[in-house]
Amino acid sequence: MYDSRNEVHLVCLFPDVENISFEEAVRDKKWKTTMDEEIKVIDRNNTWELTKFPEGSQPFGVKWVFKKKMNAQGEIERYKARFVVKGYKQKEGIDYDEVFAPVVRM
């Protein structure tokens, strides 16, 4: 018998995120420039630290999230790209407390 009372299901909705793939974004100059700027900010803020990967561990995936920022007139003000980790693969007791969890602003 299947008992789902102890399971937690999380859903994250991004209503204003662009439906654009990485392959499409890389070919578009404005998105490519935005991604380059995001990588520069990550580097400047020392967000990452290269370390030796623990044996037997599985790395988390990453993805780009793209968004167009609009002004009050509904015109595109700027393009925004964020490089995020797919943290939903973390397991309590293994790597749950070891990896930075991004904060979501609703």
Side-chain angles (χ1 to χ4, degrees):
M1 182 170 173
Y2 179 72
D3 183 7
S4 65
R5 287 179 289 179
N6 293 328
E7 291 185 16
V8 176
H9 298 276
L10 301 175
V11 176
C12 189
L13 303 174
F14 299 105
D16 54 353
V17 170
E18 300 302 312
N19 187 16
I20 182 171
S21 70
F22 172 78
E23 289 77 18
E24 293 170 316
V26 146
R27 289 191 300 261
D28 188 326
K29 184 178 180 180
K30 56 189 167 281
W31 286 118
K32 176 82 168 78
T33 302
T34 304
M35 288 188 293
D36 290 342
E37 290 170 5
E38 172 72 357
I39 293 296
K40 286 177 188 173
V41 168
I42 288 171
D43 188 45
R44 185 175 54 233
N45 292 335
N46 295 317
T47 303
W48 293 337
E49 180 181 326
L50 291 179
T51 61
K52 191 169 185 158
F53 199 72
E55 191 174 318
S57 298
Q58 291 293 323
F60 294 128
V62 292
K63 71 175 188 172
W64 284 97
V65 177
F66 303 101
K67 182 177 178 181
K68 291 178 187 171
K69 295 293 231 172
M70 310 297 252
N71 62 19
Q73 292 76 34
E75 301 164 337
I76 298 171
E77 189 172 303
R78 68 185 179 108
Y79 293 85
K80 191 172 182 178
R82 291 291 176 248
F83 194 56
V84 298
V85 66
K86 298 178 182 179
Y88 56 83
K89 289 187 172 185
Q90 293 172 275
K91 293 185 175 87
E92 191 170 358
I94 299 174
D95 54 13
Y96 191 76
D97 294 324
E98 297 176 12
V99 180
F100 173 76
V103 176
V104 177
R105 187 178 79 197
M106 297 299 226

